[in-house]
Amino acid sequence: MVLINECKHNNIKSMCGIVGYIGTRQAFPVLIKGLKRLEYRGYDSTGVALVSTNAMLNVYKEEGKVANLEANVANRDLGGTIGIAHTRWATHGIPSSTNAHPHVSQSGKLALVHNGIIENYSLIKERLLKLGFVFKSETDTEVLVQFIEYVKETHGVDTVTAVRLALNQVIGAYAIVLVDKEAPEQVIAARKSSPLVIGLGEGNREFFIASDATPLVEYTQNVVYLNDGEIAVLKRGEEMQICNLKNEAIDLDVQSIEMNIGLLEKGGYPHFMLKEIYEQAQAMKDCMRGRLLEKEKRVVLSAVCNHSERLLNAKRIIIVSCGTSWHAGLIGKQLIETFVKVPVEVEYASEFRYRNPVINKEDVVIAISQSGETADTLAAISLAKERGAFIFGIVNAVGSSIARTTDTGTYIHVGPEIGVASTKAFTGQLTVLIMLALCLGKERGILSEVEYEEIVTELAAIPDKIEHSLACNEKVADLAKSFTYARNFLYLGRGYNFPVALEGALKLKEISYIHAEGYPAAEMKHGPIALVDTEMPVVVIATHHQLYEKILSNIQEVKARKGRILAIVTEGDEGVRDLVDNVIETPPTLACLSPLLTVIPLQLLAYHVAVIKGLDVDQPRNLAKSVTVE
Ligand code: AGP
């Protein structure tokens, strides 16, 4: 049976968080707690479907966040030990309770949650409409659940077979979880290009399903990551069965995960973002543990040891990433070119993937991603792989798609980052890039022993200096009060601190909704200086490093136009203080390590401006943590 014609495959995906449960506990609390952990993936509407003991399917959906749903269903029938749930980031159709998942089939028997985009949904919908199907929502997901039901009825097959046959005709990306009230002892899950992980309870008594491992870790350490084209059938008390789209059985690959649950809670901080800013010293220690050997003054990265030939013979390195990870890449370029003397290009993954780039077999591509799920970065990796490049990943989320796609790599190990605005992941990415550049620079003989040891020793001292930098928090909070009026900000930096200026501007934009631009300080005179007036705050990174004297001149240029200047300076600096309105001091360090310190006050500034403006710091409007849409 071929119901659908070909449609252009452009590999679009969407965000959203999925949770599912089958077991012996009441499902609702497990689902709600899991959704809250996944809310970073999208938070415009929420829903749950519960299969009750008398095989009723109760579906509750609300526009807005998980807490909204929780409050509004408190008096409803929430019983049942099987359920599925979803938190949405809208793609097809506005955020509303109608468009929220789960979506239910026409007969009311099947309920489905979905992360992804069914690209040929309109063709399927057209055909189903002609057959008399009625649709309530504007979503592709409702089309999929109706289609599964249509296949089930016309072929007279069981639900698992119907799911498989339907998915064989679907073009696009999906992670789905489905329940059937007429088969109340099973949950079906499937994936293609959107992540799905299944947690195994003891003795197969229960199974937890989620978009990532964070909702599972408090129940189990044993998980199975579904691979593309796999369908899992979960039945209480039975071993999980996995098959592919051809109905061939797949062996279970059970992996063990460890995660500190404390890192998933706010731990007394008002927001995850502030907590994560404060965690940076510890996170950096975790990132360097076992890799930076302080006594021996050595850095050892197993990925470099295992693939030294491939890495050292690279004629060129291309860094692909997005957003904050791209800013880390820009600093990585300077580090690698200085320490290793190999040319480095830094590309927005979204541009790289579409511009038919020149990639050679000798190239090494470094993919940087906190979430490990960013669609653009994944697509860039697959293009580079096709053309024979060697892929090195710098990823935070263990077991994520990027981590599993790359040839080798180094986890940043900074723990889960929940705040949508990336903070500790940035310093973690920088830490790995510095260690990578050190290892390669040493091996290639570009860095002398003295230089190498000096940088390693100073790198080991940075966590304490981050701790020390955080003492500026109160001062920044105070200063932030006088900046909330601003409609625009300019951030300036040079050398290693130009990307930090970009990062400071991105942080402010993301969470305070104030327009901000980052510029290399000297580039200002080529245009942006026209914007400077008494209303324009200008943040200048003016630490005692490369081009300090030049930055003093750039500051003078802003001052002459009456711009309001906040300077990030090295402790004890006397040159800048009298020229600017305010200074924030950071501890002295080497130029190449300075971004690890100069970024701290900029993260705090963005945070406090947003808090004073009364904005949702951890879940800013229109954003999601894991950008799995192209
Ligand atoms: C950072 O604050 C952003 N939320 C965003 O730019 C992010 O860095 C970007 O989407 C890349 O994400 P990744 O590191 O998970 O790939």
Side-chain angles (χ1 to χ4, degrees), residues 322-325 368-372 374 377 420-422 429 506-507 510 625 627:
C322 308
T324 289
S325 301
I368 309 176
S369 175
Q370 186 288 128
S371 62
T374 302
T377 311
V420 164
S422 190
Q429 290 163 347
L506 178 65
K507 289 286 89 84
E510 280 189 295
K625 185 76 183 160
V627 185

Side-chain angles (χ1 to χ4, degrees), residues 37-106:
R37 296 242 194 269
L38 291 181
E39 223 171 7
Y40 71 86
R41 300 179 71 89
Y43 32 82
D44 62 43
S45 52
T46 318
V48 293
L50 299 162
V51 183
S52 71
T53 34
N54 52 353
M56 293 282 291
L57 188 63
N58 292 318
V59 180
Y60 306 112
K61 309 200 281 189
E62 289 287 340
E63 191 179 333
K65 295 194 175 181
V66 178
N68 198 31
L69 175 82
E70 197 180 11
N72 287 337
V73 298
N75 298 323
R76 311 292 290 275
D77 177 4
L78 301 175
T81 52
I82 299 174
I84 57 177
H86 188 270
T87 177
R88 180 171 185 248
W89 189 87
T91 55
H92 290 64
I94 56 161
S96 68
S97 56
T98 312
N99 286 332
H101 303 207
H103 287 281
V104 177
S105 64
Q106 190 142 289

Side-chain angles (χ1 to χ4, degrees), residues 293-345:
L293 313 174
E294 212 175 332
K295 277 197 197 131
E296 293 94 321
K297 296 187 181 166
R298 283 281 169 278
V299 170
V300 181
L301 292 181
S302 54
V304 176
C305 300
N306 297 339
H307 301 275
S308 59
E309 214 185 304
R310 190 69 177 84
L311 294 169
L312 290 169
N313 289 333
K315 297 263 179 314
R316 179 176 67 146
I317 291 175
I318 305 168
I319 299 180
V320 291
S321 45
C322 308
T324 289
S325 301
W326 184 77
H327 297 155
L330 291 178
I331 297 170
K333 169 185 167 77
Q334 296 186 46
L335 291 162
I336 296 170
E337 289 192 339
T338 311
F339 297 180
V340 195
K341 295 278 176 251
V342 171
V344 181
E345 291 166 22

